[in-house]
Amino acid sequence: MPIDPYILLLLGTVGLAALFPARGPAADVASGASTAAVALLFFLYGARLSTREALDGLRHWRLHVTVLACTFLVFPLLGLAAHGLVPVILTHPLYQGLLFLTLVPSTVQSSIAFTSMARGNVPAAICAGSFSSLVGIVATPLLAASLLGGSGGGFSADSLLKIVLQLLVPFLAGQLLRRWIGGFVTRHKQVLGLVDRGSILLVVYTAFSAGMVQGIWHQVSPVRLGALAVVEAVILAVMLLLTWYGGKALGFGRADRIAIQFAGSKKSLAAGLPMASVLFGAQAALAVLPLMLFHQMQLIVCAVIAKRRAREAAAEVTAPQPAATTRTAVGTGTRSG
């Protein structure tokens, strides 16, 4: 069972915020640095995404539409259905975080990795994850404003303006400058990956520090966290089954179904954390908790599934040939002798 080392870093950051939360002027500095880090993060996203590759991927439009529908339609519907669990099973703040989780775009890196491991359509997974991230920059804030606007989430026109300035504008700037800096970003992707992860750690520290100062953790009990884990496990199971068997019903081949399953059933921690910090402000700590939990859960479950798909593919390759083919081969061998 894989434990993502980055999750351990995130948990360590949460522990640091619990022991040494930023207060007063330090909190202002951390907040400003977090805002700048989020803008830098989405600028790098824009500089990395090849517009030409994304347009080329449109040729497989049915697969991409299927993944987008799973990510931004089916997932939110499951999130809305979970409202019936409030307040008996989930508290309202935890439900808000759960609903926000269902609005986040799909992953890119892990979708590609698991699709490759399972011997699926890797180019399709690359394009599907990229499209989802691109659409999510606009769709996630709009869906959040629509679905959470009347439930105390603090969404307003000002919140959407912050999203545009902190996420969309840097992303577009990265796209515009990609011609000049794209090569540099590609050559130094490992170093810039550390910048990505460091930025997210800063966002997490700032959000959880604010939560500690405001005492919001008294709202969460171990029983509630356990209930949240069960609810998320059910949602993940539904999406994994729906993407696999739904892909079959839509006529996709095995390789495409693998890409649909892994790209359509997962949510991006890297994209969701910065968005939550902008959308939820001081309440971001509880909002990102369901996302962090779901992220680790999806990695464990999808790793198991990917290995199983790989074994199935290997078994198909090594399976005995049909009798007719065998007879032809034997006959050919006899003639050659």
Side-chain angles (χ1 to χ4, degrees):
M1 293 295 183
I3 301 298
D4 188 356
Y6 193 55
I7 286 291
L8 298 179
L9 285 176
L10 288 170
L11 294 176
T13 303
V14 172
L16 181 64
L19 295 174
F20 306 103
R23 301 174 184 270
D28 295 334
V29 172
S31 178
S34 177
T35 299
V38 169
L40 175 62
L41 191 65
F42 277 81
F43 174 79
L44 293 175
Y45 286 164
R48 285 179 189 147
L49 180 62
S50 171
T51 307
R52 181 176 180 178
E53 290 178 0
L55 292 176
D56 289 342
L58 285 174
R59 289 177 296 182
H60 210 354
W61 63 270
R62 287 183 64 246
L63 185 147
H64 304 316
V65 169
T66 301
V67 171
L68 290 176
C70 291
T71 304
F72 298 111
L73 180 61
V74 181
F75 253 117
L77 289 176
L78 292 176
L80 291 173
H83 187 267
L85 304 176
V86 180
V88 178
I89 298 177
L90 298 176
T91 64
H92 189 68
L94 284 180
Y95 168 70
Q96 281 191 309
L98 178 68
L99 182 57
F100 173 73
L101 150 71
T102 64
L103 310 180
V104 171
S106 178
T107 61
V108 180
Q109 291 89 345
S110 59
S111 295
I112 296 169
F114 288 134
T115 300
S116 176
M117 183 188 303
R119 303 187 183 185
N121 189 338
V122 175
I126 294 173
C127 291
S130 300
F131 288 150
S132 180
S133 297
L134 182 61
V135 172
I137 292 176
V138 176
T140 298
L142 291 178
L143 287 171
S146 174
L147 300 179
L148 290 168
S151 58
F155 297 100
S156 61
D158 183 60
S159 297
L160 292 178
L161 180 61
K162 288 181 180 179
I163 283 289
V164 171
L165 294 178
Q166 288 185 236
L167 306 184
L168 187 57
V169 170
F171 178 85
L172 294 176
Q175 278 281 286
L176 292 175
L177 296 176
R178 190 181 187 281
R179 177 184 300 179
W180 296 279
I181 66 175
F184 176 85
V185 170
T186 302
R187 290 192 301 271
H188 299 85
K189 61 181 179 180
Q190 293 183 343
V191 176
L192 294 177
L194 296 177
V195 175
D196 283 358
R197 296 186 168 224
S199 300
I200 294 173
L201 291 176
L202 179 58
V203 169
V204 170
Y205 175 76
T206 303
F208 279 83
S209 289
M212 288 299 300
V213 171
Q214 296 181 8
I216 63 174
W217 289 109
H218 296 295
Q219 305 174 28
V220 184
S221 67
V223 174
R224 294 289 191 181
L225 288 179
L228 175 65
V230 172
V231 173
E232 292 191 350
V234 171
I235 291 177
L236 179 59
V238 170
M239 291 306 302
L240 286 170
L241 291 172
L242 183 63
T243 50
W244 182 249
Y245 291 105
K248 181 178 181 180
L250 291 174
F252 289 102
R254 183 181 185 278
D256 288 345
R257 290 168 64 196
I258 290 173
I260 292 171
Q261 184 174 50
F262 290 125
S265 65
K266 294 207 296 301
K267 292 294 183 176
S268 173
L269 185 70
L273 287 177
M275 289 182 181
S277 69
V278 177
L279 291 170
F280 288 92
Q283 302 297 320
L286 279 181
V288 302
L289 185 61
L291 180 58
M292 292 175 63
L293 180 61
F294 189 84
H295 176 79
Q296 183 57 43
M297 188 183 299
Q298 70 187 10
L299 288 180
I300 293 174
V301 175
C302 288
V304 174
I305 293 176
K307 291 177 182 178
R308 179 180 176 181
R309 301 280 182 241
R311 288 195 299 268
E312 292 173 351
E316 290 178 2
V317 172
T318 58
Q321 296 295 320
T325 305
T326 303
R327 286 195 299 270
T328 301
V330 171
T332 303
T334 303
R335 287 193 299 271
S336 299

